[in-house]
Amino acid sequence: MSTVVIIGAQWGDEGKGKVTDFLAAKADMVVRYQGGNNAGHTVVVEGREYKLHLIPSGILYPGKTCIIGSGVVIDPEVLIAELDALGKRGISTSNLKISQRAHVIFPYHRRLDQVEEDRKGDQKIGTTGRGIGPAYMDKSARVGIRMIDLIDEEEFKALLEMNLEVKNHLLTAVYGSEKFDFTEIYGAYRKYAETLSGLVEDVSVIVNEAINSGKNVLFEGAQGTLLDLDHGTYPFVTSSHPSAGAACLGAGIGPTKIDRVIGVAKAYTTRVGEGPFPTELLDETGEHIRAKGGEFGTTTGRPRRCGWFDGVIGRYSARINGLDHLAITKLDVLTGLEKLKICTGYIYRGDVLNEFPASLKVLNECEPVYEEFPGWQEDITGARKISDLPANARKYMERVEQVSGVPVAVIGVGSQRDQVIVVTDLYQA
Ligand code: GDP
Ligand code: IMO
Ligand code: MG
C-alpha cells in the first residue's frame, strides 16, 4: 500500500471517513492535510457512530499515528472537545500530532464568515459557518496565527493584538457588527494552548520519516474536488484544496512520495450548501434518496441536495486528481428504485459538452444526458464480493466505472466498517 491519498471526487460527504477507516486497518499513519471543522467524517464501528471533524479517521484503531498537517485550519475549542469526546468513549488519542504550521481559527473568523454570508444574501455560499474562509484569508494575507505562534505566549499576544485591532475595525465599520474583547479571547486561547502544546510538532519530519522507513501512510482528504478553490464550482467552493495535489503541501511531503490516489464517490451525488448541481433531483426520487441515505450534514445537520451519478464529474475528478481507483459508496441506498440514471455528458445550447465547464453561467444552462438502467430489489447490504450483487447492480457499477474512466476498487454497501466489497485489493495493487 505504502502512501495513498484518499479524496472526495464530488461535493464532499462521499464517505471518505468510512473508506479511510477501512483502509487504515493496515496503515501505520493517517494524515489530514486540509480543511478544518467544516468537515464531518462519519465512521461506524461495531454499531457505534463516530463523527470526526479534525482528527483523522485512523484514530479509531489503537496504535496508528494520526497527524493534522499544516494545510489544516484548527479551531482549538473544537479540537479539544473532539479529543475529550473520544476519550470519554474509550478511544486513545495519545498518538495525535499537530503541525506547528497549521493556522488557528478565532471567534472573529466565525463572525466574519457569518456577516459575509449575511451580506451576500441570496448570493450566499451556504458555508458551514465555522470561520474556514476567513481563517484561510488571513493565512494568504500573511497575518494568520499558527499553532507555533499560539503556544508562544509573547508572540501570540502581539499577533492577537495586531489582528484584533484590524478585525474589530472591519467588523464595526464595514459590517456594523460588534467588537471582540482582547482579554476574553486571549484568556481562552492561552488555556487551549496549554492543553494542546504537547501535541504540536514539526509533523513534516514525522511523515517523511514514516514514508522513508516504508510505513503505510494514508492521506485523508476533506470536502471534495468540486469544492476545490481552484477546480471547484467557484465561488461556491471552500477555501482550501480538497484535491489530491494538496496532500503534498498540507502534509509537507514531495509529490514523488505519493504512490496512489483513490477517489471516493457516492453511487449517486449529493451537495450541501448553494451552487450549481446539474443532476440534482428536485422530485420525490431526490427525497427518497435523502431519506434512505440519511443525507443530512454531519457538521451542520442541513439536508443534503441529492441527484443522479454524474459521469462528467467522475471524469473531471479523475483528471484533476490523477485517480488510480474509485471507491463507490452507498450503492445499497439505490436498492428498491425501479429505474436509475447515470449522466454521461451535458448538452449546452444543442452541443454535447464532455468536460466540466468553468463558467457557472454555462454550467447552469447545461442539461444532463442520461442513460437509464433497471434497478434491483434485493437487499445488498450483506454482499461481500462482486458476484453477490444482483446482475442489475453489477451492470450499474460497470457503467459508473466506464463513464468515469477509472477502475472501481471498493464498493460500499452499508455504513458499518465491514460492509464493503473489495474488487481490487489496494494493499496489493
Ligand atoms: P465524508 O465526509 O466523506 O467522510 O462522508 P460523511 O461521513 O459526511 O457522509 C457519509 C455518510 O454515509 C456517513 O453517514 C456514513 O456512515 C455513510 N456511509 C458511508 N459509506 C456507506 C455505504 O456504503 N452505505 C451506506 N448506507 N452508508 C454509508
Ligand atoms: P466533508 O469533509 C460537504 C461546503 C459547505 C459550503 C462550502 C463552503 O465532510 O466532505 P465552508 O464552510 O467550507 O467555507 O463552506 O463547502 N462544505 C462541505 N460540504 N462536505 C464537507 O466536508 C464540507 N465542507 C464544506 O456546505 O457549500
Ligand atoms: Mg462529511
PDB file of all heavy atoms in Angstrom, residues 11-17 38-42 52-53 222-223 266 272 296-299 304, ligand 3:
ATOM      1  N   TRP A  11     -18.916  16.542  -4.262  1.00  0.00           N
ATOM      2  CA  TRP A  11     -19.025  17.781  -3.472  1.00  0.00           C
ATOM      3  C   TRP A  11     -18.889  17.530  -1.972  1.00  0.00           C
ATOM      4  O   TRP A  11     -19.499  18.222  -1.165  1.00  0.00           O
ATOM      5  CB  TRP A  11     -20.372  18.454  -3.750  1.00  0.00           C
ATOM      6  CG  TRP A  11     -20.386  19.372  -4.928  1.00  0.00           C
ATOM      7  CD1 TRP A  11     -19.784  20.591  -5.030  1.00  0.00           C
ATOM      8  CD2 TRP A  11     -21.067  19.165  -6.176  1.00  0.00           C
ATOM      9  NE1 TRP A  11     -20.038  21.149  -6.262  1.00  0.00           N
ATOM     10  CE2 TRP A  11     -20.823  20.298  -6.983  1.00  0.00           C
ATOM     11  CE3 TRP A  11     -21.853  18.130  -6.686  1.00  0.00           C
ATOM     12  CZ2 TRP A  11     -21.352  20.425  -8.273  1.00  0.00           C
ATOM     13  CZ3 TRP A  11     -22.369  18.263  -7.965  1.00  0.00           C
ATOM     14  CH2 TRP A  11     -22.114  19.393  -8.741  1.00  0.00           C
ATOM     15  N   GLY A  12     -18.125  16.549  -1.594  1.00  0.00           N
ATOM     16  CA  GLY A  12     -17.955  16.251  -0.171  1.00  0.00           C
ATOM     17  C   GLY A  12     -18.955  15.225   0.322  1.00  0.00           C
ATOM     18  O   GLY A  12     -19.909  14.863  -0.395  1.00  0.00           O
ATOM     19  N   ASP A  13     -18.710  14.712   1.527  1.00  0.00           N
ATOM     20  CA  ASP A  13     -19.588  13.723   2.169  1.00  0.00           C
ATOM     21  C   ASP A  13     -19.726  12.435   1.369  1.00  0.00           C
ATOM     22  O   ASP A  13     -20.764  11.767   1.421  1.00  0.00           O
ATOM     23  CB  ASP A  13     -20.998  14.314   2.427  1.00  0.00           C
ATOM     24  CG  ASP A  13     -20.933  15.513   3.337  1.00  0.00           C
ATOM     25  OD1 ASP A  13     -20.052  15.563   4.202  1.00  0.00           O
ATOM     26  OD2 ASP A  13     -21.780  16.415   3.176  1.00  0.00           O
ATOM     27  N   GLU A  14     -18.713  12.081   0.634  1.00  0.00           N
ATOM     28  CA  GLU A  14     -18.778  10.882  -0.204  1.00  0.00           C
ATOM     29  C   GLU A  14     -18.613   9.603   0.603  1.00  0.00           C
ATOM     30  O   GLU A  14     -18.889   8.510   0.102  1.00  0.00           O
ATOM     31  CB  GLU A  14     -17.675  10.930  -1.283  1.00  0.00           C
ATOM     32  CG  GLU A  14     -17.775  12.097  -2.261  1.00  0.00           C
ATOM     33  CD  GLU A  14     -17.001  13.332  -1.790  1.00  0.00           C
ATOM     34  OE1 GLU A  14     -16.610  13.375  -0.591  1.00  0.00           O
ATOM     35  OE2 GLU A  14     -16.795  14.232  -2.614  1.00  0.00           O
ATOM     36  N   GLY A  15     -18.124   9.742   1.845  1.00  0.00           N
ATOM     37  CA  GLY A  15     -17.835   8.554   2.656  1.00  0.00           C
ATOM     38  C   GLY A  15     -16.331   8.373   2.828  1.00  0.00           C
ATOM     39  O   GLY A  15     -15.841   7.258   3.024  1.00  0.00           O
ATOM     40  N   LYS A  16     -15.594   9.496   2.784  1.00  0.00           N
ATOM     41  CA  LYS A  16     -14.125   9.437   2.926  1.00  0.00           C
ATOM     42  C   LYS A  16     -13.732   8.855   4.277  1.00  0.00           C
ATOM     43  O   LYS A  16     -12.768   8.103   4.391  1.00  0.00           O
ATOM     44  CB  LYS A  16     -13.523  10.845   2.790  1.00  0.00           C
ATOM     45  CG  LYS A  16     -13.776  11.488   1.434  1.00  0.00           C
ATOM     46  CD  LYS A  16     -13.285  12.920   1.397  1.00  0.00           C
ATOM     47  CE  LYS A  16     -14.067  13.859   2.280  1.00  0.00           C
ATOM     48  NZ  LYS A  16     -15.468  14.086   1.874  1.00  0.00           N
ATOM     49  N   GLY A  17     -14.504   9.229   5.321  1.00  0.00           N
ATOM     50  CA  GLY A  17     -14.216   8.721   6.668  1.00  0.00           C
ATOM     51  C   GLY A  17     -14.288   7.211   6.696  1.00  0.00           C
ATOM     52  O   GLY A  17     -13.393   6.538   7.191  1.00  0.00           O
ATOM     53  N   ASN A  38     -15.109  22.260   9.124  1.00  0.00           N
ATOM     54  CA  ASN A  38     -16.217  22.220   8.162  1.00  0.00           C
ATOM     55  C   ASN A  38     -16.462  20.763   7.769  1.00  0.00           C
ATOM     56  O   ASN A  38     -17.543  20.390   7.350  1.00  0.00           O
ATOM     57  CB  ASN A  38     -15.936  23.087   6.923  1.00  0.00           C
ATOM     58  CG  ASN A  38     -14.552  22.880   6.328  1.00  0.00           C
ATOM     59  OD1 ASN A  38     -13.700  22.195   6.915  1.00  0.00           O
ATOM     60  ND2 ASN A  38     -14.297  23.476   5.176  1.00  0.00           N
ATOM     61  N   ALA A  39     -15.442  19.936   7.908  1.00  0.00           N
ATOM     62  CA  ALA A  39     -15.552  18.517   7.577  1.00  0.00           C
ATOM     63  C   ALA A  39     -16.306  17.774   8.666  1.00  0.00           C
ATOM     64  O   ALA A  39     -16.227  18.118   9.836  1.00  0.00           O
ATOM     65  CB  ALA A  39     -14.155  17.913   7.430  1.00  0.00           C
ATOM     66  N   GLY A  40     -17.012  16.742   8.252  1.00  0.00           N
ATOM     67  CA  GLY A  40     -17.644  15.829   9.197  1.00  0.00           C
ATOM     68  C   GLY A  40     -17.523  14.440   8.610  1.00  0.00           C
ATOM     69  O   GLY A  40     -18.139  14.148   7.591  1.00  0.00           O
ATOM     70  N   HIS A  41     -16.660  13.632   9.205  1.00  0.00           N
ATOM     71  CA  HIS A  41     -16.413  12.293   8.662  1.00  0.00           C
ATOM     72  C   HIS A  41     -16.989  11.255   9.625  1.00  0.00           C
ATOM     73  O   HIS A  41     -16.557  11.161  10.771  1.00  0.00           O
ATOM     74  CB  HIS A  41     -14.905  12.064   8.465  1.00  0.00           C
ATOM     75  CG  HIS A  41     -14.315  12.971   7.428  1.00  0.00           C
ATOM     76  ND1 HIS A  41     -13.007  12.906   7.026  1.00  0.00           N
ATOM     77  CD2 HIS A  41     -14.870  13.964   6.694  1.00  0.00           C
ATOM     78  CE1 HIS A  41     -12.791  13.825   6.095  1.00  0.00           C
ATOM     79  NE2 HIS A  41     -13.904  14.492   5.883  1.00  0.00           N
ATOM     80  N   THR A  42     -17.961  10.507   9.135  1.00  0.00           N
ATOM     81  CA  THR A  42     -18.657   9.538   9.998  1.00  0.00           C
ATOM     82  C   THR A  42     -18.059   8.153   9.808  1.00  0.00           C
ATOM     83  O   THR A  42     -17.902   7.692   8.682  1.00  0.00           O
ATOM     84  CB  THR A  42     -20.154   9.477   9.616  1.00  0.00           C
ATOM     85  OG1 THR A  42     -20.616  10.807   9.476  1.00  0.00           O
ATOM     86  CG2 THR A  42     -20.958   8.742  10.665  1.00  0.00           C
ATOM     87  N   LEU A  52     -16.130  12.605  13.136  1.00  0.00           N
ATOM     88  CA  LEU A  52     -14.828  13.270  13.293  1.00  0.00           C
ATOM     89  C   LEU A  52     -14.781  14.533  12.446  1.00  0.00           C
ATOM     90  O   LEU A  52     -15.236  14.534  11.299  1.00  0.00           O
ATOM     91  CB  LEU A  52     -13.718  12.305  12.887  1.00  0.00           C
ATOM     92  CG  LEU A  52     -13.687  11.022  13.733  1.00  0.00           C
ATOM     93  CD1 LEU A  52     -12.918   9.916  13.041  1.00  0.00           C
ATOM     94  CD2 LEU A  52     -13.100  11.301  15.113  1.00  0.00           C
ATOM     95  N   HIS A  53     -14.265  15.601  13.033  1.00  0.00           N
ATOM     96  CA  HIS A  53     -14.215  16.874  12.306  1.00  0.00           C
ATOM     97  C   HIS A  53     -12.777  17.291  11.979  1.00  0.00           C
ATOM     98  O   HIS A  53     -12.500  17.856  10.937  1.00  0.00           O
ATOM     99  CB  HIS A  53     -14.913  17.965  13.114  1.00  0.00           C
ATOM    100  CG  HIS A  53     -16.354  17.633  13.364  1.00  0.00           C
ATOM    101  ND1 HIS A  53     -17.299  17.688  12.374  1.00  0.00           N
ATOM    102  CD2 HIS A  53     -17.000  17.204  14.471  1.00  0.00           C
ATOM    103  CE1 HIS A  53     -18.486  17.324  12.866  1.00  0.00           C
ATOM    104  NE2 HIS A  53     -18.317  17.023  14.129  1.00  0.00           N
ATOM    105  N   ALA A 222     -10.419  16.154   2.964  1.00  0.00           N
ATOM    106  CA  ALA A 222     -11.729  16.627   3.428  1.00  0.00           C
ATOM    107  C   ALA A 222     -12.404  17.323   2.244  1.00  0.00           C
ATOM    108  O   ALA A 222     -11.762  17.627   1.241  1.00  0.00           O
ATOM    109  CB  ALA A 222     -11.558  17.593   4.594  1.00  0.00           C
ATOM    110  N   GLN A 223     -13.709  17.542   2.367  1.00  0.00           N
ATOM    111  CA  GLN A 223     -14.516  18.129   1.289  1.00  0.00           C
ATOM    112  C   GLN A 223     -14.381  17.297  -0.007  1.00  0.00           C
ATOM    113  O   GLN A 223     -14.119  16.111   0.071  1.00  0.00           O
ATOM    114  CB  GLN A 223     -14.160  19.607   1.053  1.00  0.00           C
ATOM    115  CG  GLN A 223     -14.572  20.524   2.189  1.00  0.00           C
ATOM    116  CD  GLN A 223     -13.616  20.550   3.365  1.00  0.00           C
ATOM    117  OE1 GLN A 223     -12.426  20.723   3.179  1.00  0.00           O
ATOM    118  NE2 GLN A 223     -14.105  20.385   4.565  1.00  0.00           N
ATOM    119  N   LYS A 266     -20.051   8.787  -4.150  1.00  0.00           N
ATOM    120  CA  LYS A 266     -21.268   8.031  -3.881  1.00  0.00           C
ATOM    121  C   LYS A 266     -21.768   7.419  -5.183  1.00  0.00           C
ATOM    122  O   LYS A 266     -21.452   7.932  -6.276  1.00  0.00           O
ATOM    123  CB  LYS A 266     -22.351   8.962  -3.335  1.00  0.00           C
ATOM    124  CG  LYS A 266     -22.189   9.241  -1.858  1.00  0.00           C
ATOM    125  CD  LYS A 266     -23.187  10.268  -1.367  1.00  0.00           C
ATOM    126  CE  LYS A 266     -22.921  10.575   0.095  1.00  0.00           C
ATOM    127  NZ  LYS A 266     -23.420  11.868   0.512  1.00  0.00           N
ATOM    128  N   VAL A 272     -24.154  19.869  -0.217  1.00  0.00           N
ATOM    129  CA  VAL A 272     -24.721  20.719   0.852  1.00  0.00           C
ATOM    130  C   VAL A 272     -24.318  22.144   0.538  1.00  0.00           C
ATOM    131  O   VAL A 272     -23.194  22.381   0.109  1.00  0.00           O
ATOM    132  CB  VAL A 272     -24.147  20.438   2.262  1.00  0.00           C
ATOM    133  CG1 VAL A 272     -25.172  20.717   3.342  1.00  0.00           C
ATOM    134  CG2 VAL A 272     -23.590  19.065   2.393  1.00  0.00           C
ATOM    135  N   PHE A 296     -28.181  14.050   5.567  1.00  0.00           N
ATOM    136  CA  PHE A 296     -28.234  15.280   6.363  1.00  0.00           C
ATOM    137  C   PHE A 296     -26.824  15.531   6.858  1.00  0.00           C
ATOM    138  O   PHE A 296     -26.139  14.591   7.276  1.00  0.00           O
ATOM    139  CB  PHE A 296     -29.226  15.132   7.524  1.00  0.00           C
ATOM    140  CG  PHE A 296     -30.638  14.934   7.039  1.00  0.00           C
ATOM    141  CD1 PHE A 296     -31.113  13.661   6.773  1.00  0.00           C
ATOM    142  CD2 PHE A 296     -31.448  16.026   6.782  1.00  0.00           C
ATOM    143  CE1 PHE A 296     -32.400  13.478   6.267  1.00  0.00           C
ATOM    144  CE2 PHE A 296     -32.736  15.855   6.284  1.00  0.00           C
ATOM    145  CZ  PHE A 296     -33.216  14.570   6.022  1.00  0.00           C
ATOM    146  N   GLY A 297     -26.362  16.798   6.775  1.00  0.00           N
ATOM    147  CA  GLY A 297     -24.958  17.119   7.051  1.00  0.00           C
ATOM    148  C   GLY A 297     -24.463  16.616   8.406  1.00  0.00           C
ATOM    149  O   GLY A 297     -25.164  16.775   9.409  1.00  0.00           O
ATOM    150  N   THR A 298     -23.262  16.050   8.410  1.00  0.00           N
ATOM    151  CA  THR A 298     -22.643  15.562   9.646  1.00  0.00           C
ATOM    152  C   THR A 298     -22.265  16.734  10.547  1.00  0.00           C
ATOM    153  O   THR A 298     -22.296  16.636  11.769  1.00  0.00           O
ATOM    154  CB  THR A 298     -21.358  14.760   9.302  1.00  0.00           C
ATOM    155  OG1 THR A 298     -21.694  13.793   8.311  1.00  0.00           O
ATOM    156  CG2 THR A 298     -20.768  14.062  10.497  1.00  0.00           C
ATOM    157  N   THR A 299     -21.909  17.866   9.947  1.00  0.00           N
ATOM    158  CA  THR A 299     -21.445  19.019  10.710  1.00  0.00           C
ATOM    159  C   THR A 299     -22.591  19.963  11.066  1.00  0.00           C
ATOM    160  O   THR A 299     -22.708  20.413  12.189  1.00  0.00           O
ATOM    161  CB  THR A 299     -20.344  19.758   9.914  1.00  0.00           C
ATOM    162  OG1 THR A 299     -19.278  18.843   9.726  1.00  0.00           O
ATOM    163  CG2 THR A 299     -19.831  20.978  10.650  1.00  0.00           C
ATOM    164  N   ARG A 304     -29.005  17.386   2.695  1.00  0.00           N
ATOM    165  CA  ARG A 304     -28.138  17.423   1.509  1.00  0.00           C
ATOM    166  C   ARG A 304     -29.006  17.337   0.260  1.00  0.00           C
ATOM    167  O   ARG A 304     -29.974  16.573   0.240  1.00  0.00           O
ATOM    168  CB  ARG A 304     -27.169  16.244   1.537  1.00  0.00           C
ATOM    169  CG  ARG A 304     -26.170  16.320   2.675  1.00  0.00           C
ATOM    170  CD  ARG A 304     -25.320  15.047   2.735  1.00  0.00           C
ATOM    171  NE  ARG A 304     -24.390  15.074   3.857  1.00  0.00           N
ATOM    172  CZ  ARG A 304     -23.947  13.982   4.479  1.00  0.00           C
ATOM    173  NH1 ARG A 304     -24.332  12.781   4.095  1.00  0.00           N
ATOM    174  NH2 ARG A 304     -23.103  14.086   5.483  1.00  0.00           N
TER     175      ARG A 304
HETATM  176 MG    MG B   3     -18.864  14.807   5.656  1.00  0.00          MG
END
